[in-house]
């Protein structure tokens, strides 16, 4: 059936252009695996000799679902799609640590984003201890840009370069606020902004303040999606924290 369609299409071109069949060149690559959006390279083009060089048409090639696993383990490299418009961007959660105070974590109050840290509510400024069952989780990660272009560049090209990514789009710890990034940006509006070129890797440390009344340490997971809210595949990593 497909061959007949191609022949009929070519015949229609001959009638409208007056060219011979030998002048028509058609190439096509098909996608056979379930995929998620990811603009890639030119995959289909038709050119007619003698009528000038036809502009190639661009088709959407997408990341296979298999590259965005439903779950991953600590130390396992996996593809994330939140920060990117095209290409491949990878994340590895290497290890986690849990702390009861900023002093124990080796951090200072001014280094934090201060999203949900409130003195005398969940934080004692004198002792730096966290109150009311709050804990600080530090996750040591590796981010890798293989060939990705930032989604922020598409939304705001005048503000974001092709390789300026928001790491907040990678995901986070459920029931926790993102409070620390060792490579934090000076951009007061985009705390997790980072520049990473294709082929480049960077080791980063993220800090999250977890309310263990909402989720116990043993239930703590890193996720870049939600089954009810996220369109497309996402990955959940068990942080393997103990009470």
């Amino acid at each position: 059936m497909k061959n007949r369609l191609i022949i009929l299409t070519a015949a229609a071109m001959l009638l409208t252009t007056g060219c011979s069949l030998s002048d028509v060149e058609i190439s096509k690559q098909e996608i056979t695996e379930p995929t998620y959006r990811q603009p890639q390279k030119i995959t289909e083009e038709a050119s007619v000799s003698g009528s000038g060089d036809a502009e190639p048409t661009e088709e959407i090639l997408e990341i296979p679902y298999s590259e965005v696993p439903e779950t991953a383990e600590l130390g396992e490299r996996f593809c994330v799609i939140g920060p990117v418009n095209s290409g491949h961007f990878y994340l590895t959660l290497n290890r986690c640590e849990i702390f009861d105070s900023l002093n124990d974590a080796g951090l200072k109050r001014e280094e934090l984003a201060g999203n949900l840290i409130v003195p005398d509510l969940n934080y004692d400024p004198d002792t730096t201890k966290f109150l009311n069952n709050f804990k600080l989780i530090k996750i040591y990660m590796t981010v890798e840009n293989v060939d990705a272009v930032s989604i922020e560049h598409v939304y705001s090209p005048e503000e974001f370069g092709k390789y300026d990514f928001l790491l907040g789009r990678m995901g986070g710890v459920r029931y926790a606020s993102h409070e620390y990034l060792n490579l934090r940006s000076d951009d007061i509006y985009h705390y997790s902004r980072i520049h990473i070129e294709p082929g480049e890797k960077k080791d980063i440390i993220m800090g999250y303040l977890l309310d263990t009344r909402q989720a116990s340490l043993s239930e703590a997971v890193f996720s870049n999606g939600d089954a009810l809210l996220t369109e497309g595949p996402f990955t959940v990593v068990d942080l393997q924290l103990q009470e």
Side-chain angles (χ1 to χ4, degrees), residues 35-151:
T35 56
Y36 187 73
R37 62 109 181 106
Q38 204 66 246
Q40 292 286 344
K41 298 179 181 179
I42 294 168
T43 59
E44 179 177 344
E45 60 181 306
S47 61
V48 181
S49 61
S51 62
D53 294 332
E55 289 294 327
T57 60
E58 185 172 354
E59 185 176 313
I60 300 300
L61 274 184
E62 303 175 329
I63 287 181
Y65 284 153
S66 58
E67 294 194 34
V68 186
E70 292 184 1
T71 60
E73 302 292 334
L74 288 176
E76 182 180 352
R77 175 178 178 265
F78 59 95
C79 187
V80 293
I81 58 180
V84 309
N85 178 64
S86 63
H88 296 73
F89 193 90
Y90 285 88
L91 174 64
T92 306
L93 275 59
N94 300 304
R95 62 187 177 93
C96 302
E97 295 175 343
I98 187 76
F99 299 96
D100 293 318
S101 72
L102 282 181
N103 284 344
D104 291 343
L107 300 176
K108 298 180 180 180
R109 178 68 179 82
E110 56 267 26
E111 295 179 291
L112 307 183
N115 291 318
L116 286 183
I117 293 182
V118 180
D120 300 323
L121 176 63
N122 55 23
Y123 169 74
D124 185 334
D126 296 325
T127 65
T128 77
K129 286 188 176 181
F130 298 110
L131 309 174
N132 297 322
N133 298 306
F134 280 80
K135 305 283 186 180
L136 183 74
I137 299 173
K138 288 174 73 174
I139 305 181
Y140 297 78
M141 310 176 182
T142 300
V143 292
E144 176 185 359
N145 181 8
V146 175
D147 55 2
V149 173
S150 168
I151 189 68

Side-chain angles (χ1 to χ4, degrees), residues 166-183:
L166 291 183
L167 296 186
R169 290 189 182 274
M170 294 188 314
V173 178
R174 289 179 181 172
Y175 303 105
S177 61
H178 180 204
E179 299 290 344
Y180 176 72
L181 173 63
N182 66 323
L183 298 180

